Amino acid sequence: MNSKASLALNDDRVIDPRQFRDILGHFPTGVVAVTAADNEGRPVGMAVGSFTSVSLDPPLVAFLPDKSSSTFPKIRAAKRFCANVLGSDQQDVCRNLSRKGNDKFTDVEWAPTPSGMPRILGSSAWIDCEIAAVHDAGDHHIVVGRVDHLELDTPESPLIFFQGRYGAFATAETHA
């Protein structure tokens, strides 16, 4: 079995990683910028397509960073994060936060949340959280955050990722 070309499951089934990505790419996801302040107060962040609500009582959300991420350890050390729901016009912000390196916020405008985490200006909404738990999940972590504050900044269409491309949600008004 070629480990580069397949994923082995416990019962000897084999899943091709490219096929796995291609098929799951048919499920559209919203794009969220997860941000925090490092130990020197500088903004750090990453773009994720794996953000979800978890619970209303208590209010919990989650995101799933890759274990190889160089940014997530900084977010984890902050013990807090802000989930910024990117708007359909913020592809450039997504690209900046997807880059490697420390200059991700060079062209990103932000302001602090009530807890001091960076919230990205122009985002559709932002959710200020404390990390409640981090669980192991294969080659990713599941990070659960307890929501402390959240606001809707603009009711514009969110940025969506679908079949390897960015786009926007088409509303009924768009087709009228």
Side-chain angles (χ1 to χ4, degrees):
M1 181 180 331
N2 182 343
S3 63
K4 287 185 179 179
S6 62
L7 302 169
L9 302 175
N10 290 338
D11 62 3
D12 294 329
R13 288 180 290 161
V14 175
I15 303 294
D16 174 56
R18 181 76 253 165
Q19 181 186 25
F20 186 80
R21 287 182 73 122
D22 289 346
I23 289 174
L24 290 174
H26 283 66
F27 179 72
T29 61
V31 182
V32 173
V34 177
T35 59
D38 70 11
N39 58 4
E40 295 179 17
R42 294 177 302 218
V44 297
M46 61 194 303
V48 300
S50 57
F51 177 79
T52 188
S53 61
V54 174
S55 170
L56 289 174
D57 186 16
L60 300 173
V61 296
F63 71 98
L64 287 72
D66 191 296
K67 287 183 178 176
S68 67
S69 168
S70 60
T71 302
F72 178 63
K74 297 171 188 173
I75 294 170
R76 190 176 196 170
K79 299 180 181 165
R80 302 197 59 80
F81 66 90
C82 180
N84 300 268
V85 179
L86 296 181
S88 60
D89 62 345
Q90 291 185 301
Q91 288 183 34
D92 56 333
V93 173
C94 180
R95 284 188 191 95
N96 284 352
L97 295 180
S98 297
R99 300 191 295 231
K100 300 286 184 198
N102 295 322
D103 60 347
K104 295 179 178 187
F105 279 81
T106 301
D107 297 319
V108 176
E109 293 183 52
W110 62 277
T113 65
S115 72
M117 297 300 100
R119 71 175 177 90
I120 297 175
L121 300 180
S123 294
S124 297
W126 54 274
I127 303 109
D128 197 15
C129 303
E130 178 180 354
I131 294 177
V134 178
H135 304 283
D136 182 68
D139 57 4
H140 282 67
H141 297 290
I142 300 172
V143 181
V144 179
R146 190 193 77 225
V147 177
D148 291 332
H149 192 94
L150 68 165
E151 288 190 24
L152 180 66
D153 277 352
T154 174
E156 300 301 317
S157 179
L159 183 60
I160 295 174
F161 190 72
F162 178 66
Q163 294 182 346
R165 295 185 307 254
Y166 295 103
F169 184 79
T171 63
E173 297 165 2
T174 305
H175 298 297

